[in-house]
Amino acid sequence: MKIMYVDILIDGHHLSYMKSLIKSDQNEYVLVLPEKVEIFGCKQYIFKEVDFFNKKLSEYLSWLNEIYEIAKREKPDIIHFLYGDVFYKFFGIGLSKFKNFKIISTFHWVKFDVLRRISLKSIFNKIDKGVVHTEFLYKKIKELGINNITHIEYPQFNTPLLDNIEAKRYFGLKDTVPTLGCIGGTRHDKGLDILLKALNYVNSPFQLLISGKEESFNKAFIEEEIKGYSERVVLYLKYLSDEELYKSLNASDIIVLPYRRNFAGASGPLSEGVWLRKTIIGPNNSSLGDIIINNELGLSFEVEDISDLAKSINELLQNQYNWTEKAELYRKSLDPLLFREKYLEIYLEKKD
């Protein structure tokens, strides 16, 4: 097969995601990206700069037309839009021109307000198959009467198991004190501020590692919030290399996901943490709550509730959480080989 991958970003997990799908096998790959990447020597096209998060209709249509012209030239068997969320704003307008190609689109964030439901139905009418990464989102979309949808669990990206104590020492953490890990960029929807407030009410020994790029919450904000327990906090505020990400995850004993109510997707730190058999704390709503509760991965708390988050943290610090058979079964579902196999099954399906 000849598969054309289109993505609007290559930072964070975007590049790892793409690499996990591309192997030097019998398939041919074409990449259409915002900038060149080093990946298996694939043929690449770089599209004109677009502000996707404040995009205008004319700009969006121009971008889509650029993708279409590349597709006409390359004649792929499959076009896979790796970030289908880009279509929400304009209801998938322009996708109909790709009707002679098999179109797969992966959606990372799904919300279900009235306009978004209309947009989802419009988009799915124009593609062959949509993919989401949680069972919760899959069921919600099926309830809308959309049937060309499938669920592939968000994988871990070959995170290695490292020595916990060595990883802690890399960050200057104490060997014997439980480490709460808040890993990744400090975006508002990931709720770092909620965690920092909750830790004022945690009375068991702990240390906190905040590791990731400064975004919504910068160093000055964080230092103000942690004044009451600053000696127990390590800040590692930078864009993380793969090695730094691996060490951050391995140094953590508990992965804390204090995400806000509007977070509506899968979580990379959750997947990577589960692969390393770390205990998870996360909100009890939407996909994250569904995953944590149904797979016995740790404890959930009332979303955006500071006191309930503090209660859950105290409980885990005082009572070790035992890894269960259910948790191990879920862990196995995160294997990147399984992830790729499921995508290959979709690629091989006949176009309607």
Side-chain angles (χ1 to χ4, degrees), residues 149-164:
I149 178 71
T150 193
H151 163 223
I152 299 176
E153 199 67 28
Y154 196 90
Q156 63 84 29
F157 294 112
N158 294 308
T159 300
L161 178 63
L162 306 175
D163 184 83
N164 175 256

Side-chain angles (χ1 to χ4, degrees), residues 30 37 42 69 78 94 102 119 124 155 160 214 233 246 252-253 324:
V30 177
V37 299
C42 298
E69 291 301 319
I78 293 158
K102 182 175 178 178
S119 180
F124 273 84
E214 290 179 74
V233 181
Y246 301 154
S252 305
D253 300 301
T324 68

Side-chain angles (χ1 to χ4, degrees), residues 39 65 69 80 155:
I39 178 170
N65 191 60
E69 291 301 319
H80 186 169

Side-chain angles (χ1 to χ4, degrees), residues 191-199 217 258-260 301 303-306 309:
L192 174 61
D193 56 325
I194 296 172
L195 171 61
L196 299 183
K197 288 181 172 63
L199 289 175
F217 302 114
Y259 297 1
R260 283 187 153 78
F301 64 92
V303 61
E304 298 186 25
D305 188 315
I306 292 168
L309 174 55

Side-chain angles (χ1 to χ4, degrees), residues 82-112:
L82 293 171
Y83 196 77
D85 311 55
V86 73
F87 300 124
Y88 289 144
K89 184 175 181 180
F90 299 119
F91 300 80
I93 292 171
L95 278 172
S96 295
K97 68 171 62 182
F98 293 91
K99 62 184 178 182
N100 292 327
F101 299 96
K102 182 175 178 178
I103 302 298
I104 311 298
S105 187
T106 300
F107 301 90
H108 298 267
W109 291 65
V110 187
K111 297 181 180 179
F112 296 95

Side-chain angles (χ1 to χ4, degrees), residues 109 184-193 213-217 259-260 263-264 266:
W109 291 65
T186 64
R187 294 198 322 258
H188 183 264
D189 61 315
K190 293 174 75 172
L192 174 61
D193 56 325
K213 182 182 176 183
E214 290 179 74
E215 295 185 34
S216 303
F217 302 114
Y259 297 1
R260 283 187 153 78
F263 186 91

